[in-house]
């Protein structure tokens, strides 16, 4: 049994919010083609600790590096606080895992820069690393949200609780949809298209599948398909939990919001601001789903779960 610490919990939620903000800013680096704003140098920027020739791309990339670096500083501070307050508890372990994935995030970002898989690069290698980059962000926000949520509990939940296989499948589907979404977003950035609706949109989708197109264009169709499958499964899974579990209720609303934003994103040919909104909704849905899974044990003590 652990005792709650309201100040730590508040700080942990703020840290999660900061992580999401940095992730969204990273998407803007891609959208604005600013990934090479510091050249192929890392951790320096154009060989300087603080760049003196501040073009727009350099300012965006350098700011992203600074804000990303602060994730590690804040994570270390939160880990020290968690250790002092909770010792080696599930809260402390969740913060430690968050920090580990923050380090991985920095390493992936450095690899992208050093291998010059940025700006207008349209290689298979960049697509693969971008998908892994997004998956890593999901891991770090998952553990950050668990740390914040668990620190506000007097009981010790076990991650996933009952029906673990059904929720493990839900989490896997969301990760798959997110990975395909990262590749699609890269394609939309490098190969933008005109706004089309109705029959024109269907014709453009058919044209995207042409063997003569770049692979990033041909892969655009995968993300909507994966997203629809994941949304249908989530709605089926969450409807039995939404009455008694506020996180499940939030996840249900976020599924609907994410699908709606996704359709607008396709119809409007993925403008940058809508890509960021889409990613923000995806991160919110992911956190709600993780916390739904984590809180099932608590619900099962008071409300028996329906059989699958």
């Amino acid at each position: 049994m652990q005792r709650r610490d309201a100040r730590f919990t508040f700080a942990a939620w703020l840290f999660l919010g900061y992580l999401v903000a940095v992730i969204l800013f990273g998407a803007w680096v891609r959208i604005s083609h600013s990934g090479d704003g510091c050249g192929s140098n890392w951790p320096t920027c154009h060989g300087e600790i603080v760049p003196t020739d501040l073009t727009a791309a350099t300012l965006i990339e350098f700011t992203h590096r600074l804000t990303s670096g602060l994730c590690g500083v804040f994570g270390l501070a939160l880990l020290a606080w968690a250790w002092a307050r909770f010792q080696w508890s599930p809260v402390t372990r969740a913060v430690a895992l968050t920090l580990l994935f923050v380090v991985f995030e920095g390493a992936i970002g450095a690899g992208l820069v050093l291998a010059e898989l940025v700006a207008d690069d349209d290689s298979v290698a960049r697509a693969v690393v971008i998908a892994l980059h997004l998956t890593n962000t999901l891991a770090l926000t998952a553990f950050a949200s668990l740390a914040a949520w668990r620190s506000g509990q007097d009981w010790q939940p076990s991650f996933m609780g009952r029906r673990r296989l059904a929720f493990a499948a839900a989490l896997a589907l969301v990760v798959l949809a997110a990975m395909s979404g990262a590749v699609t977003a890269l394609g939309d950035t490098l190969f933008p298209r005109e706004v089309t609706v109705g029959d024109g949109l269907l014709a453009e989708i058919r044209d995207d599948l042409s063997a003569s197109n770049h692979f990033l264009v041909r892969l655009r169709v995968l993300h909507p398909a994966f997203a629809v499958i994941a949304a249908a499964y989530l709605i089926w899974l969450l409807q039995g939990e939404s009455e008694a579990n506020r996180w499940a209720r939030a996840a249900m609303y976020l599924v609907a919001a994410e699908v709606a934003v996704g359709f607008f994103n396709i119809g409007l040919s993925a403008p940058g601001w809508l890509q960021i909104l889409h990613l923000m909704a995806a991160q919110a849905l992911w956190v709600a789903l993780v916390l739904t899974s984590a809180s099932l044990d608590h619900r099962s003590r008071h409300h028996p779960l329906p059989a699958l």
Side-chain angles (χ1 to χ4, degrees):
M1 180 74 69
Q2 71 180 32
R3 291 189 303 170
R4 288 179 287 185
D5 186 328
R7 291 179 301 171
F8 179 90
T9 299
F10 180 70
W13 283 117
L14 280 181
F15 181 54
L16 174 62
Y18 182 78
L19 287 175
V20 172
V22 172
I23 291 167
L24 297 179
F25 192 76
W28 178 247
V29 173
R30 169 184 53 78
I31 291 166
S32 62
H33 299 267
S34 300
D36 62 348
C38 286
S40 58
N41 305 109
W42 194 94
T44 62
C45 185
H46 292 304
E48 301 174 311
I49 296 177
V50 179
T52 53
D53 184 16
L54 288 180
T55 64
T58 300
L59 182 59
I60 292 171
E61 170 63 8
F62 184 68
T63 301
H64 180 56
R65 291 189 186 188
L66 283 179
T67 54
S68 298
L70 286 174
C71 288
V73 175
F74 295 153
L76 280 171
L78 196 66
L79 180 60
W81 190 355
W83 177 263
R85 180 64 183 82
F86 303 107
Q87 288 73 55
W88 191 238
S89 68
V91 173
T92 308
R93 291 196 291 273
V95 176
L97 285 168
T98 302
L99 186 58
L100 176 64
F101 283 104
V102 166
V103 173
F104 288 164
E105 188 79 350
I108 294 171
L112 284 167
V113 171
L114 294 174
E116 299 185 4
L117 302 177
V118 291
D120 296 324
D121 181 86
D122 59 359
S123 65
V124 173
R126 185 183 185 186
V128 171
V129 176
I130 283 289
L132 293 176
H133 206 6
L134 193 280
T135 303
N136 192 77
T137 68
L138 294 179
L140 68 90
T141 52
F143 287 112
S145 62
L146 283 171
W149 178 75
R150 283 178 167 176
S151 68
Q153 307 298 315
D154 287 326
W155 58 285
Q156 290 291 351
S158 61
F159 180 58
M160 298 295 287
R162 291 179 60 192
R163 300 177 72 181
R164 57 171 53 88
L165 290 179
F167 274 88
L171 292 169
L173 277 173
V174 171
V175 170
L176 182 61
M179 291 177 71
S180 65
V183 175
T184 297
L186 176 61
D188 288 337
T189 298
L190 298 179
F191 302 96
R193 56 189 177 191
E194 298 297 324
V195 177
T196 50
V197 295
D199 293 338
L201 178 59
L202 295 175
E204 185 167 351
I205 292 173
R206 287 194 298 268
D207 183 63
D208 283 350
L209 296 174
S210 171
S212 62
N213 281 326
H214 192 277
F215 79 94
L216 287 173
V217 175
R218 299 199 304 273
L219 289 177
R220 278 174 175 161
V221 71
L222 290 181
H223 178 58
F226 288 148
V228 168
I229 293 170
Y233 181 77
L234 287 175
I235 290 171
W236 170 79
L237 182 63
L238 292 168
Q239 62 183 350
E241 311 292 337
S242 58
E243 289 186 11
N245 189 316
R246 63 173 181 168
W247 291 112
R249 206 158 44 244
M252 286 277 285
Y253 293 138
L254 286 166
V255 168
E258 181 72 339
V259 170
V261 173
F263 276 115
F264 278 114
N265 202 39
I266 293 172
L268 296 178
S269 296
W273 66 270
L274 199 50
Q275 288 187 45
I276 291 176
L277 181 62
H278 197 30
L279 178 59
M280 182 172 64
Q283 289 288 344
L285 170 59
W286 172 251
V287 168
L289 184 60
V290 166
L291 296 184
T292 298
S293 305
S295 60
L296 287 180
D297 262 3
H298 185 240
R299 184 197 161 187
S300 67
R301 299 182 186 191
H302 307 286
H303 304 281
L305 295 173
L308 284 173

